[in-house]
Structure formats: structure tokens, C-alpha cells
Amino acid sequence: MSNKESLTIRRPDDWHIHLRDGAMLEAALPYTARQFGRAIVMPNLAPPVTGSQAAAAYRERIYAALPDGLKFEPLMTAYLTDKSDANDLAQGFKHGVFTAAKLYPAGATTNSDSGVTDIANIHGVLEKMEEIGMPLLVHGEVTDPDIDIFDREHVFIHRVMEPTLNRFQGLKVVFEHITTAAAVDFVRTQGPRVGATITVHHLMINRSDIFRGGIRPHMYCLPVAKREQHRLALREAATSGEAHFFLGTDTAPHTVSDKESACGCAGIFSAPAALELYAQVFDEERALDQFEAFASLNGPAFYGLEPNGETVTLKREDWVVPESVTVADGSAVKPFMAGETLSWRLV
Ligand code: DOR
Ligand code: ZN
């Protein structure tokens, strides 16, 4: 660890979040908006945000839920289906409603049932996106039940990612929440049109942690955490400063009762301490000098946006992640690393 006592960087952005809707949106949003200037908002609501009108309305609900005095810009995404309307996506992109479109292979994760059943079904849409420069954000896991859950990302690279990039040579693609050394290596073979987000939980836990002393549902997410060698590869990539890799928490709140269940939901709610946890990882890797590139510069550069103008400061100071966050409907959400003492604090 470095002996730096404080760290000031451009205000970061979160390039992958789940904000939900209604009472959960109101509970979750302040944590993200406190830290990040902008965030890419995932469209997997029920029903999913497939069209530009629905996205504009969702964006209004997000602004309405934003606490006074916080400046935050939600960047909206379209949920791709077998029947996505390329013209509506293009219009939404042109008018600044959509920043990108998200590919969920049908059945891959939470609220992905309306996702794409075969990439060939959206070739027309991808052609349009390539033409207009609209990024494709990919949940990179195959859904074939014969493929072991720990291999789904690796297999996706060869079955879907590689052929799609070859077919659409100008398409901008973000390989979301990468979890394997294979994905790190693959992204590095690509040019600047391919980026990857890395979550803080995949930098901090491996698959054994999910079962340490008993089953720990709050460490379960998709893609599921992999072996230690993969966690180490992700840490090396994130802290390398390379332009491909940028911050995306994939913070995904579910109520405690939905997580602590016979069939618990996938998703880790990291928003309450996200930036501080990433800072801790960079500190442990003696790479605080690369933190701003990962958190605040590489993402905007990929999306063709300016970095945020303001700065944020983190101080070396102990604090404890809250045990629980209360939602107005009476439910509760447990944050990632709840009850743990962290060594960096956002001022
Ligand atoms: O763990 C996850 N939770 N992975 C996803 O892809 C979706 C997310 C959610 O929406 O809960
Ligand atoms: Zn996600």
C-alpha cells in the first residue's frame, strides 16, 4: 500500500449500473449520484426498456428521484430483443435518449427472458448501430445449459463475441463485467473499439468466497465470480491504466428476502461503497497513480465524451460499510462488504 493520505481525481463515472424503479430507485440512486458524475443505466426492468419513449420516461423518473443538490446524468440504454426496431434505436441515439444498446442473451440473468435468442436475429440492428456509432454493451455469457456456469463467459468469446466483431468491423462493443483471464486477454487483442468494464466485486472475491463457511448469497452475481487466477488477472488489467478497461460496478440491488432465499437472485449491491472499494484495490496493488485512468478517463474516451470537469477527493480514513439500506416500501438491501471496515473514504 502507498503512504498517500489523500487522492484527488476527476469525478468518476460508473459505466454499468442497475437503478431499478420506484422505491428501490429512490433508495439506490443517492449512493451512485454521491460518487459518480454519470452512469450507464441498464434497461432490465420488468417490463424491459426496449424503446426510446420508455427510456425517456425512465430517465425522467430517475431525475425525479435524484436528491436536491446532487448533479448526476443518467445515460440510458436500450434492451435488445429479437424484435428490436433499428429505426427507433437510431432516432433515440440521435436525440440523445440512448447512449448505447444492451445485449442480454435470453435467459442469461435477471429479467433477461425477453433478450436475444440468437445473435443472428439482431444482425440488422447491429448493422445500423455500426453505421451510426452506437455502442453495443454485451452480457457475455452463453445460456446453453450444457455449458458449465463457470465456463459460460469463456465459451461466449469464441461462439459469439469473436464472430460478431469480425462481422461488424466498425461496431463499438463493451464486454461488460468481465470475469476471466480469457476475457482480459481477448479484449487486449482488439483495437480501441472494444472496451471492458470490471466490477469491484470481481476484483475482490473469487468463487471460493461465495462458499466460505457456508453459502453467501450476497456474493452471488452473474457472471459468477471465478477462480483466484482470474481475479488476479482482472486486478492486473484494471490497474494497468490501459484504455480498454474502465469502471463499471454492475451494482444490482435485490431485497434481502430475494437474496436470502431457496432460489436467491443474482446481483451485488456495491453502490454504497463502490469508489472506496475500488480505491482500496488500487492501493493494495500499489497502483493509485492509475486510478484516475480507470475510474474517470478511459470510459469517457471510449464513449466519445469529455471527462467530468469537477474532481472528487478520497482520504485515508477508516469507516464501516452500513449493514443494511432501508427501502421506503419496508424492505431492505444488504450492501457489498456490509459491516466491513474500509480504509478510504470519499470526502
Ligand atoms: O448479478 C447480476 N445482476 N447480473 C446481471 O447481469 C443482472 C443483475 C441484476 O439485474 O440483478
Ligand atoms: Zn448488470
Side-chain angles (χ1 to χ4, degrees), residues 160-197:
V160 185
M161 188 62 101
E162 206 162 32
T164 304
L165 288 168
N166 286 339
R167 186 179 187 111
F168 303 97
Q169 302 253 336
L171 185 64
K172 291 173 79 167
V173 172
V174 182
F175 199 157
E176 297 288 343
H177 42 54
I178 57 171
T179 60
T180 56
V184 168
D185 292 344
F186 176 77
V187 167
R188 280 184 165 141
T189 66
Q190 302 297 308
R193 67 159 173 146
V194 177
T197 50

PDB file of all heavy atoms in Angstrom, residues 160-197:
ATOM      1  N   VAL A 160     -19.688 -16.272 -29.799  1.00  0.00           N
ATOM      2  CA  VAL A 160     -20.487 -15.090 -30.140  1.00  0.00           C
ATOM      3  C   VAL A 160     -19.645 -13.825 -30.309  1.00  0.00           C
ATOM      4  O   VAL A 160     -19.761 -13.115 -31.314  1.00  0.00           O
ATOM      5  CB  VAL A 160     -21.590 -14.825 -29.069  1.00  0.00           C
ATOM      6  CG1 VAL A 160     -22.492 -13.675 -29.502  1.00  0.00           C
ATOM      7  CG2 VAL A 160     -22.410 -16.087 -28.813  1.00  0.00           C
ATOM      8  N   MET A 161     -18.800 -13.527 -29.348  1.00  0.00           N
ATOM      9  CA  MET A 161     -18.095 -12.241 -29.374  1.00  0.00           C
ATOM     10  C   MET A 161     -17.193 -12.102 -30.594  1.00  0.00           C
ATOM     11  O   MET A 161     -17.270 -11.121 -31.337  1.00  0.00           O
ATOM     12  CB  MET A 161     -17.298 -12.092 -28.075  1.00  0.00           C
ATOM     13  CG  MET A 161     -16.673 -10.736 -27.877  1.00  0.00           C
ATOM     14  SD  MET A 161     -17.912  -9.425 -27.766  1.00  0.00           S
ATOM     15  CE  MET A 161     -18.005  -9.149 -26.013  1.00  0.00           C
ATOM     16  N   GLU A 162     -16.352 -13.105 -30.781  1.00  0.00           N
ATOM     17  CA  GLU A 162     -15.374 -13.038 -31.869  1.00  0.00           C
ATOM     18  C   GLU A 162     -16.052 -12.960 -33.241  1.00  0.00           C
ATOM     19  O   GLU A 162     -15.744 -12.050 -34.033  1.00  0.00           O
ATOM     20  CB  GLU A 162     -14.451 -14.258 -31.776  1.00  0.00           C
ATOM     21  CG  GLU A 162     -13.096 -14.074 -32.367  1.00  0.00           C
ATOM     22  CD  GLU A 162     -12.125 -15.145 -31.855  1.00  0.00           C
ATOM     23  OE1 GLU A 162     -12.564 -16.283 -31.574  1.00  0.00           O
ATOM     24  OE2 GLU A 162     -10.939 -14.822 -31.739  1.00  0.00           O
ATOM     25  N   PRO A 163     -17.003 -13.874 -33.541  1.00  0.00           N
ATOM     26  CA  PRO A 163     -17.676 -13.785 -34.838  1.00  0.00           C
ATOM     27  C   PRO A 163     -18.424 -12.465 -35.046  1.00  0.00           C
ATOM     28  O   PRO A 163     -18.447 -11.926 -36.159  1.00  0.00           O
ATOM     29  CB  PRO A 163     -18.676 -14.951 -34.822  1.00  0.00           C
ATOM     30  CG  PRO A 163     -18.304 -15.827 -33.687  1.00  0.00           C
ATOM     31  CD  PRO A 163     -17.404 -15.069 -32.783  1.00  0.00           C
ATOM     32  N   THR A 164     -19.002 -11.928 -33.973  1.00  0.00           N
ATOM     33  CA  THR A 164     -19.741 -10.670 -34.118  1.00  0.00           C
ATOM     34  C   THR A 164     -18.786  -9.515 -34.430  1.00  0.00           C
ATOM     35  O   THR A 164     -19.057  -8.676 -35.305  1.00  0.00           O
ATOM     36  CB  THR A 164     -20.546 -10.377 -32.829  1.00  0.00           C
ATOM     37  OG1 THR A 164     -21.397 -11.492 -32.570  1.00  0.00           O
ATOM     38  CG2 THR A 164     -21.384  -9.129 -32.980  1.00  0.00           C
ATOM     39  N   LEU A 165     -17.661  -9.488 -33.744  1.00  0.00           N
ATOM     40  CA  LEU A 165     -16.683  -8.424 -34.017  1.00  0.00           C
ATOM     41  C   LEU A 165     -16.109  -8.558 -35.424  1.00  0.00           C
ATOM     42  O   LEU A 165     -15.825  -7.561 -36.088  1.00  0.00           O
ATOM     43  CB  LEU A 165     -15.563  -8.457 -32.976  1.00  0.00           C
ATOM     44  CG  LEU A 165     -15.973  -7.981 -31.576  1.00  0.00           C
ATOM     45  CD1 LEU A 165     -14.908  -8.326 -30.552  1.00  0.00           C
ATOM     46  CD2 LEU A 165     -16.259  -6.489 -31.562  1.00  0.00           C
ATOM     47  N   ASN A 166     -15.949  -9.796 -35.881  1.00  0.00           N
ATOM     48  CA  ASN A 166     -15.435  -9.997 -37.239  1.00  0.00           C
ATOM     49  C   ASN A 166     -16.451  -9.570 -38.285  1.00  0.00           C
ATOM     50  O   ASN A 166     -16.097  -9.008 -39.313  1.00  0.00           O
ATOM     51  CB  ASN A 166     -15.049 -11.466 -37.452  1.00  0.00           C
ATOM     52  CG  ASN A 166     -13.767 -11.801 -36.714  1.00  0.00           C
ATOM     53  OD1 ASN A 166     -12.969 -10.911 -36.388  1.00  0.00           O
ATOM     54  ND2 ASN A 166     -13.575 -13.081 -36.415  1.00  0.00           N
ATOM     55  N   ARG A 167     -17.702  -9.830 -37.999  1.00  0.00           N
ATOM     56  CA  ARG A 167     -18.739  -9.499 -38.966  1.00  0.00           C
ATOM     57  C   ARG A 167     -18.987  -7.989 -39.044  1.00  0.00           C
ATOM     58  O   ARG A 167     -19.217  -7.441 -40.123  1.00  0.00           O
ATOM     59  CB  ARG A 167     -20.035 -10.211 -38.569  1.00  0.00           C
ATOM     60  CG  ARG A 167     -21.136 -10.059 -39.581  1.00  0.00           C
ATOM     61  CD  ARG A 167     -22.382 -10.822 -39.124  1.00  0.00           C
ATOM     62  NE  ARG A 167     -23.359 -10.795 -40.196  1.00  0.00           N
ATOM     63  CZ  ARG A 167     -23.710 -11.854 -40.898  1.00  0.00           C
ATOM     64  NH1 ARG A 167     -23.166 -13.032 -40.652  1.00  0.00           N
ATOM     65  NH2 ARG A 167     -24.600 -11.740 -41.856  1.00  0.00           N
ATOM     66  N   PHE A 168     -18.942  -7.331 -37.878  1.00  0.00           N
ATOM     67  CA  PHE A 168     -19.205  -5.888 -37.818  1.00  0.00           C
ATOM     68  C   PHE A 168     -17.920  -5.183 -37.385  1.00  0.00           C
ATOM     69  O   PHE A 168     -17.729  -4.884 -36.217  1.00  0.00           O
ATOM     70  CB  PHE A 168     -20.360  -5.598 -36.853  1.00  0.00           C
ATOM     71  CG  PHE A 168     -21.618  -6.316 -37.211  1.00  0.00           C
ATOM     72  CD1 PHE A 168     -21.952  -7.510 -36.596  1.00  0.00           C
ATOM     73  CD2 PHE A 168     -22.463  -5.821 -38.202  1.00  0.00           C
ATOM     74  CE1 PHE A 168     -23.107  -8.193 -36.942  1.00  0.00           C
ATOM     75  CE2 PHE A 168     -23.618  -6.500 -38.559  1.00  0.00           C
ATOM     76  CZ  PHE A 168     -23.944  -7.699 -37.931  1.00  0.00           C
ATOM     77  N   GLN A 169     -17.069  -4.932 -38.356  1.00  0.00           N
ATOM     78  CA  GLN A 169     -15.705  -4.491 -38.044  1.00  0.00           C
ATOM     79  C   GLN A 169     -15.641  -3.067 -37.506  1.00  0.00           C
ATOM     80  O   GLN A 169     -14.609  -2.652 -36.978  1.00  0.00           O
ATOM     81  CB  GLN A 169     -14.843  -4.603 -39.308  1.00  0.00           C
ATOM     82  CG  GLN A 169     -14.800  -5.996 -39.891  1.00  0.00           C
ATOM     83  CD  GLN A 169     -13.465  -6.680 -39.667  1.00  0.00           C
ATOM     84  OE1 GLN A 169     -12.446  -6.028 -39.480  1.00  0.00           O
ATOM     85  NE2 GLN A 169     -13.473  -8.003 -39.677  1.00  0.00           N
ATOM     86  N   GLY A 170     -16.755  -2.330 -37.639  1.00  0.00           N
ATOM     87  CA  GLY A 170     -16.743  -0.962 -37.127  1.00  0.00           C
ATOM     88  C   GLY A 170     -17.589  -0.789 -35.876  1.00  0.00           C
ATOM     89  O   GLY A 170     -17.686   0.310 -35.329  1.00  0.00           O
ATOM     90  N   LEU A 171     -18.223  -1.873 -35.438  1.00  0.00           N
ATOM     91  CA  LEU A 171     -19.120  -1.782 -34.270  1.00  0.00           C
ATOM     92  C   LEU A 171     -18.317  -1.575 -32.989  1.00  0.00           C
ATOM     93  O   LEU A 171     -17.340  -2.277 -32.740  1.00  0.00           O
ATOM     94  CB  LEU A 171     -19.938  -3.077 -34.174  1.00  0.00           C
ATOM     95  CG  LEU A 171     -21.028  -3.143 -33.095  1.00  0.00           C
ATOM     96  CD1 LEU A 171     -22.124  -2.110 -33.340  1.00  0.00           C
ATOM     97  CD2 LEU A 171     -21.626  -4.559 -33.043  1.00  0.00           C
ATOM     98  N   LYS A 172     -18.751  -0.587 -32.193  1.00  0.00           N
ATOM     99  CA  LYS A 172     -18.115  -0.379 -30.881  1.00  0.00           C
ATOM    100  C   LYS A 172     -18.787  -1.309 -29.865  1.00  0.00           C
ATOM    101  O   LYS A 172     -20.012  -1.349 -29.788  1.00  0.00           O
ATOM    102  CB  LYS A 172     -18.291   1.072 -30.419  1.00  0.00           C
ATOM    103  CG  LYS A 172     -17.508   2.064 -31.256  1.00  0.00           C
ATOM    104  CD  LYS A 172     -17.854   3.485 -30.859  1.00  0.00           C
ATOM    105  CE  LYS A 172     -17.130   3.886 -29.578  1.00  0.00           C
ATOM    106  NZ  LYS A 172     -17.224   5.380 -29.365  1.00  0.00           N
ATOM    107  N   VAL A 173     -17.968  -2.017 -29.111  1.00  0.00           N
ATOM    108  CA  VAL A 173     -18.511  -3.038 -28.207  1.00  0.00           C
ATOM    109  C   VAL A 173     -17.875  -2.921 -26.811  1.00  0.00           C
ATOM    110  O   VAL A 173     -16.651  -2.787 -26.690  1.00  0.00           O
ATOM    111  CB  VAL A 173     -18.237  -4.457 -28.771  1.00  0.00           C
ATOM    112  CG1 VAL A 173     -18.625  -5.539 -27.760  1.00  0.00           C
ATOM    113  CG2 VAL A 173     -18.991  -4.660 -30.083  1.00  0.00           C
ATOM    114  N   VAL A 174     -18.726  -2.973 -25.792  1.00  0.00           N
ATOM    115  CA  VAL A 174     -18.216  -3.120 -24.425  1.00  0.00           C
ATOM    116  C   VAL A 174     -18.545  -4.524 -23.937  1.00  0.00           C
ATOM    117  O   VAL A 174     -19.703  -4.926 -23.898  1.00  0.00           O
ATOM    118  CB  VAL A 174     -18.821  -2.093 -23.446  1.00  0.00           C
ATOM    119  CG1 VAL A 174     -18.212  -2.285 -22.050  1.00  0.00           C
ATOM    120  CG2 VAL A 174     -18.598  -0.668 -23.927  1.00  0.00           C
ATOM    121  N   PHE A 175     -17.507  -5.247 -23.592  1.00  0.00           N
ATOM    122  CA  PHE A 175     -17.635  -6.565 -22.969  1.00  0.00           C
ATOM    123  C   PHE A 175     -17.852  -6.251 -21.485  1.00  0.00           C
ATOM    124  O   PHE A 175     -16.939  -5.834 -20.780  1.00  0.00           O
ATOM    125  CB  PHE A 175     -16.331  -7.336 -23.207  1.00  0.00           C
ATOM    126  CG  PHE A 175     -16.397  -8.833 -23.038  1.00  0.00           C
ATOM    127  CD1 PHE A 175     -15.445  -9.636 -23.677  1.00  0.00           C
ATOM    128  CD2 PHE A 175     -17.359  -9.449 -22.263  1.00  0.00           C
ATOM    129  CE1 PHE A 175     -15.464 -11.017 -23.541  1.00  0.00           C
ATOM    130  CE2 PHE A 175     -17.398 -10.827 -22.115  1.00  0.00           C
ATOM    131  CZ  PHE A 175     -16.452 -11.610 -22.758  1.00  0.00           C
ATOM    132  N   GLU A 176     -19.119  -6.411 -21.030  1.00  0.00           N
ATOM    133  CA  GLU A 176     -19.453  -5.945 -19.687  1.00  0.00           C
ATOM    134  C   GLU A 176     -18.999  -6.927 -18.609  1.00  0.00           C
ATOM    135  O   GLU A 176     -18.964  -8.138 -18.829  1.00  0.00           O
ATOM    136  CB  GLU A 176     -20.971  -5.734 -19.578  1.00  0.00           C
ATOM    137  CG  GLU A 176     -21.521  -4.658 -20.521  1.00  0.00           C
ATOM    138  CD  GLU A 176     -21.158  -3.237 -20.121  1.00  0.00           C
ATOM    139  OE1 GLU A 176     -20.754  -3.028 -18.951  1.00  0.00           O
ATOM    140  OE2 GLU A 176     -21.263  -2.333 -20.976  1.00  0.00           O
ATOM    141  N   HIS A 177     -18.686  -6.346 -17.460  1.00  0.00           N
ATOM    142  CA  HIS A 177     -18.326  -7.093 -16.243  1.00  0.00           C
ATOM    143  C   HIS A 177     -17.530  -8.368 -16.537  1.00  0.00           C
ATOM    144  O   HIS A 177     -17.979  -9.479 -16.243  1.00  0.00           O
ATOM    145  CB  HIS A 177     -19.545  -7.406 -15.384  1.00  0.00           C
ATOM    146  CG  HIS A 177     -20.787  -7.854 -16.118  1.00  0.00           C
ATOM    147  ND1 HIS A 177     -20.793  -8.897 -17.001  1.00  0.00           N
ATOM    148  CD2 HIS A 177     -22.056  -7.380 -16.099  1.00  0.00           C
ATOM    149  CE1 HIS A 177     -22.021  -9.047 -17.478  1.00  0.00           C
ATOM    150  NE2 HIS A 177     -22.800  -8.147 -16.952  1.00  0.00           N
ATOM    151  N   ILE A 178     -16.356  -8.222 -17.122  1.00  0.00           N
ATOM    152  CA  ILE A 178     -15.543  -9.397 -17.444  1.00  0.00           C
ATOM    153  C   ILE A 178     -15.050 -10.067 -16.154  1.00  0.00           C
ATOM    154  O   ILE A 178     -14.773  -9.402 -15.155  1.00  0.00           O
ATOM    155  CB  ILE A 178     -14.366  -9.068 -18.388  1.00  0.00           C
ATOM    156  CG1 ILE A 178     -13.463  -7.982 -17.811  1.00  0.00           C
ATOM    157  CG2 ILE A 178     -14.869  -8.683 -19.762  1.00  0.00           C
ATOM    158  CD1 ILE A 178     -12.179  -7.783 -18.616  1.00  0.00           C
ATOM    159  N   THR A 179     -14.960 -11.389 -16.221  1.00  0.00           N
ATOM    160  CA  THR A 179     -14.633 -12.163 -15.011  1.00  0.00           C
ATOM    161  C   THR A 179     -13.508 -13.170 -15.221  1.00  0.00           C
ATOM    162  O   THR A 179     -13.193 -13.915 -14.287  1.00  0.00           O
ATOM    163  CB  THR A 179     -15.862 -12.957 -14.522  1.00  0.00           C
ATOM    164  OG1 THR A 179     -16.263 -13.858 -15.560  1.00  0.00           O
ATOM    165  CG2 THR A 179     -17.019 -12.054 -14.176  1.00  0.00           C
ATOM    166  N   THR A 180     -12.948 -13.244 -16.409  1.00  0.00           N
ATOM    167  CA  THR A 180     -11.949 -14.290 -16.682  1.00  0.00           C
ATOM    168  C   THR A 180     -10.669 -13.707 -17.286  1.00  0.00           C
ATOM    169  O   THR A 180     -10.699 -12.659 -17.944  1.00  0.00           O
ATOM    170  CB  THR A 180     -12.496 -15.307 -17.707  1.00  0.00           C
ATOM    171  OG1 THR A 180     -12.886 -14.593 -18.887  1.00  0.00           O
ATOM    172  CG2 THR A 180     -13.683 -16.075 -17.170  1.00  0.00           C
ATOM    173  N   ALA A 181      -9.591 -14.441 -17.091  1.00  0.00           N
ATOM    174  CA  ALA A 181      -8.332 -14.082 -17.735  1.00  0.00           C
ATOM    175  C   ALA A 181      -8.488 -14.160 -19.252  1.00  0.00           C
ATOM    176  O   ALA A 181      -7.890 -13.372 -19.995  1.00  0.00           O
ATOM    177  CB  ALA A 181      -7.217 -15.015 -17.265  1.00  0.00           C
ATOM    178  N   ALA A 182      -9.324 -15.097 -19.725  1.00  0.00           N
ATOM    179  CA  ALA A 182      -9.544 -15.223 -21.172  1.00  0.00           C
ATOM    180  C   ALA A 182     -10.165 -13.950 -21.741  1.00  0.00           C
ATOM    181  O   ALA A 182      -9.790 -13.502 -22.834  1.00  0.00           O
ATOM    182  CB  ALA A 182     -10.455 -16.424 -21.457  1.00  0.00           C
ATOM    183  N   ALA A 183     -11.109 -13.363 -21.006  1.00  0.00           N
ATOM    184  CA  ALA A 183     -11.726 -12.123 -21.488  1.00  0.00           C
ATOM    185  C   ALA A 183     -10.721 -10.976 -21.484  1.00  0.00           C
ATOM    186  O   ALA A 183     -10.672 -10.174 -22.426  1.00  0.00           O
ATOM    187  CB  ALA A 183     -12.953 -11.775 -20.644  1.00  0.00           C
ATOM    188  N   VAL A 184      -9.892 -10.908 -20.444  1.00  0.00           N
ATOM    189  CA  VAL A 184      -8.848  -9.867 -20.402  1.00  0.00           C
ATOM    190  C   VAL A 184      -7.939 -10.004 -21.622  1.00  0.00           C
ATOM    191  O   VAL A 184      -7.676  -9.034 -22.340  1.00  0.00           O
ATOM    192  CB  VAL A 184      -8.010  -9.988 -19.100  1.00  0.00           C
ATOM    193  CG1 VAL A 184      -6.755  -9.133 -19.173  1.00  0.00           C
ATOM    194  CG2 VAL A 184      -8.850  -9.614 -17.881  1.00  0.00           C
ATOM    195  N   ASP A 185      -7.487 -11.224 -21.869  1.00  0.00           N
ATOM    196  CA  ASP A 185      -6.573 -11.463 -22.997  1.00  0.00           C
ATOM    197  C   ASP A 185      -7.253 -11.128 -24.315  1.00  0.00           C
ATOM    198  O   ASP A 185      -6.663 -10.516 -25.201  1.00  0.00           O
ATOM    199  CB  ASP A 185      -6.127 -12.935 -23.036  1.00  0.00           C
ATOM    200  CG  ASP A 185      -5.228 -13.281 -21.862  1.00  0.00           C
ATOM    201  OD1 ASP A 185      -4.721 -12.350 -21.207  1.00  0.00           O
ATOM    202  OD2 ASP A 185      -5.053 -14.491 -21.600  1.00  0.00           O
ATOM    203  N   PHE A 186      -8.507 -11.539 -24.438  1.00  0.00           N
ATOM    204  CA  PHE A 186      -9.227 -11.296 -25.682  1.00  0.00           C
ATOM    205  C   PHE A 186      -9.376  -9.795 -25.949  1.00  0.00           C
ATOM    206  O   PHE A 186      -9.100  -9.323 -27.059  1.00  0.00           O
ATOM    207  CB  PHE A 186     -10.607 -11.964 -25.641  1.00  0.00           C
ATOM    208  CG  PHE A 186     -11.426 -11.657 -26.858  1.00  0.00           C
ATOM    209  CD1 PHE A 186     -11.170 -12.308 -28.059  1.00  0.00           C
ATOM    210  CD2 PHE A 186     -12.412 -10.676 -26.832  1.00  0.00           C
ATOM    211  CE1 PHE A 186     -11.900 -12.002 -29.204  1.00  0.00           C
ATOM    212  CE2 PHE A 186     -13.139 -10.369 -27.968  1.00  0.00           C
ATOM    213  CZ  PHE A 186     -12.879 -11.039 -29.158  1.00  0.00           C
ATOM    214  N   VAL A 187      -9.787  -9.070 -24.954  1.00  0.00           N
ATOM    215  CA  VAL A 187     -10.001  -7.619 -25.131  1.00  0.00           C
ATOM    216  C   VAL A 187      -8.693  -6.951 -25.557  1.00  0.00           C
ATOM    217  O   VAL A 187      -8.678  -6.057 -26.402  1.00  0.00           O
ATOM    218  CB  VAL A 187     -10.586  -7.007 -23.834  1.00  0.00           C
ATOM    219  CG1 VAL A 187     -10.532  -5.487 -23.860  1.00  0.00           C
ATOM    220  CG2 VAL A 187     -12.026  -7.488 -23.633  1.00  0.00           C
ATOM    221  N   ARG A 188      -7.601  -7.435 -24.983  1.00  0.00           N
ATOM    222  CA  ARG A 188      -6.291  -6.839 -25.323  1.00  0.00           C
ATOM    223  C   ARG A 188      -5.887  -7.080 -26.776  1.00  0.00           C
ATOM    224  O   ARG A 188      -5.048  -6.354 -27.308  1.00  0.00           O
ATOM    225  CB  ARG A 188      -5.202  -7.405 -24.406  1.00  0.00           C
ATOM    226  CG  ARG A 188      -5.213  -6.730 -23.069  1.00  0.00           C
ATOM    227  CD  ARG A 188      -4.081  -7.215 -22.202  1.00  0.00           C
ATOM    228  NE  ARG A 188      -3.905  -6.313 -21.076  1.00  0.00           N
ATOM    229  CZ  ARG A 188      -3.619  -6.711 -19.841  1.00  0.00           C
ATOM    230  NH1 ARG A 188      -3.434  -7.976 -19.580  1.00  0.00           N
ATOM    231  NH2 ARG A 188      -3.484  -5.823 -18.882  1.00  0.00           N
ATOM    232  N   THR A 189      -6.466  -8.098 -27.413  1.00  0.00           N
ATOM    233  CA  THR A 189      -6.114  -8.341 -28.817  1.00  0.00           C
ATOM    234  C   THR A 189      -6.909  -7.433 -29.747  1.00  0.00           C
ATOM    235  O   THR A 189      -6.672  -7.433 -30.959  1.00  0.00           O
ATOM    236  CB  THR A 189      -6.408  -9.799 -29.244  1.00  0.00           C
ATOM    237  OG1 THR A 189      -7.840 -10.008 -29.198  1.00  0.00           O
ATOM    238  CG2 THR A 189      -5.714 -10.801 -28.360  1.00  0.00           C
ATOM    239  N   GLN A 190      -7.872  -6.718 -29.188  1.00  0.00           N
ATOM    240  CA  GLN A 190      -8.751  -5.894 -30.008  1.00  0.00           C
ATOM    241  C   GLN A 190      -8.273  -4.441 -30.038  1.00  0.00           C
ATOM    242  O   GLN A 190      -7.533  -4.003 -29.170  1.00  0.00           O
ATOM    243  CB  GLN A 190     -10.178  -5.941 -29.448  1.00  0.00           C
ATOM    244  CG  GLN A 190     -10.743  -7.347 -29.366  1.00  0.00           C
ATOM    245  CD  GLN A 190     -10.880  -7.986 -30.742  1.00  0.00           C
ATOM    246  OE1 GLN A 190     -11.467  -7.398 -31.649  1.00  0.00           O
ATOM    247  NE2 GLN A 190     -10.340  -9.178 -30.904  1.00  0.00           N
ATOM    248  N   GLY A 191      -8.758  -3.715 -31.032  1.00  0.00           N
ATOM    249  CA  GLY A 191      -8.434  -2.299 -31.137  1.00  0.00           C
ATOM    250  C   GLY A 191      -9.268  -1.481 -30.164  1.00  0.00           C
ATOM    251  O   GLY A 191     -10.002  -2.033 -29.331  1.00  0.00           O
ATOM    252  N   PRO A 192      -9.164  -0.152 -30.280  1.00  0.00           N
ATOM    253  CA  PRO A 192      -9.838   0.736 -29.331  1.00  0.00           C
ATOM    254  C   PRO A 192     -11.360   0.711 -29.412  1.00  0.00           C
ATOM    255  O   PRO A 192     -12.017   1.255 -28.536  1.00  0.00           O
ATOM    256  CB  PRO A 192      -9.305   2.134 -29.708  1.00  0.00           C
ATOM    257  CG  PRO A 192      -8.728   1.999 -31.067  1.00  0.00           C
ATOM    258  CD  PRO A 192      -8.306   0.572 -31.235  1.00  0.00           C
ATOM    259  N   ARG A 193     -11.927   0.049 -30.415  1.00  0.00           N
ATOM    260  CA  ARG A 193     -13.390  -0.001 -30.476  1.00  0.00           C
ATOM    261  C   ARG A 193     -13.974  -1.012 -29.487  1.00  0.00           C
ATOM    262  O   ARG A 193     -15.190  -1.125 -29.363  1.00  0.00           O
ATOM    263  CB  ARG A 193     -13.851  -0.346 -31.883  1.00  0.00           C
ATOM    264  CG  ARG A 193     -13.460  -1.769 -32.274  1.00  0.00           C
ATOM    265  CD  ARG A 193     -14.300  -2.299 -33.384  1.00  0.00           C
ATOM    266  NE  ARG A 193     -13.819  -3.576 -33.848  1.00  0.00           N
ATOM    267  CZ  ARG A 193     -14.615  -4.524 -34.287  1.00  0.00           C
ATOM    268  NH1 ARG A 193     -15.915  -4.312 -34.341  1.00  0.00           N
ATOM    269  NH2 ARG A 193     -14.120  -5.652 -34.720  1.00  0.00           N
ATOM    270  N   VAL A 194     -13.116  -1.788 -28.829  1.00  0.00           N
ATOM    271  CA  VAL A 194     -13.591  -2.759 -27.841  1.00  0.00           C
ATOM    272  C   VAL A 194     -13.105  -2.356 -26.449  1.00  0.00           C
ATOM    273  O   VAL A 194     -11.909  -2.174 -26.223  1.00  0.00           O
ATOM    274  CB  VAL A 194     -13.111  -4.186 -28.169  1.00  0.00           C
ATOM    275  CG1 VAL A 194     -13.565  -5.177 -27.087  1.00  0.00           C
ATOM    276  CG2 VAL A 194     -13.635  -4.625 -29.532  1.00  0.00           C
ATOM    277  N   GLY A 195     -14.071  -2.198 -25.554  1.00  0.00           N
ATOM    278  CA  GLY A 195     -13.748  -1.890 -24.163  1.00  0.00           C
ATOM    279  C   GLY A 195     -14.290  -2.974 -23.251  1.00  0.00           C
ATOM    280  O   GLY A 195     -14.967  -3.906 -23.699  1.00  0.00           O
ATOM    281  N   ALA A 196     -13.980  -2.859 -21.963  1.00  0.00           N
ATOM    282  CA  ALA A 196     -14.497  -3.822 -20.985  1.00  0.00           C
ATOM    283  C   ALA A 196     -14.677  -3.116 -19.648  1.00  0.00           C
ATOM    284  O   ALA A 196     -13.805  -2.353 -19.228  1.00  0.00           O
ATOM    285  CB  ALA A 196     -13.542  -4.992 -20.827  1.00  0.00           C
ATOM    286  N   THR A 197     -15.804  -3.387 -19.004  1.00  0.00           N
ATOM    287  CA  THR A 197     -15.970  -2.906 -17.631  1.00  0.00           C
ATOM    288  C   THR A 197     -15.542  -4.010 -16.669  1.00  0.00           C
ATOM    289  O   THR A 197     -15.629  -5.203 -16.981  1.00  0.00           O
ATOM    290  CB  THR A 197     -17.431  -2.518 -17.346  1.00  0.00           C
ATOM    291  OG1 THR A 197     -18.303  -3.577 -17.742  1.00  0.00           O
ATOM    292  CG2 THR A 197     -17.814  -1.240 -18.086  1.00  0.00           C
TER     293      THR A 197
END
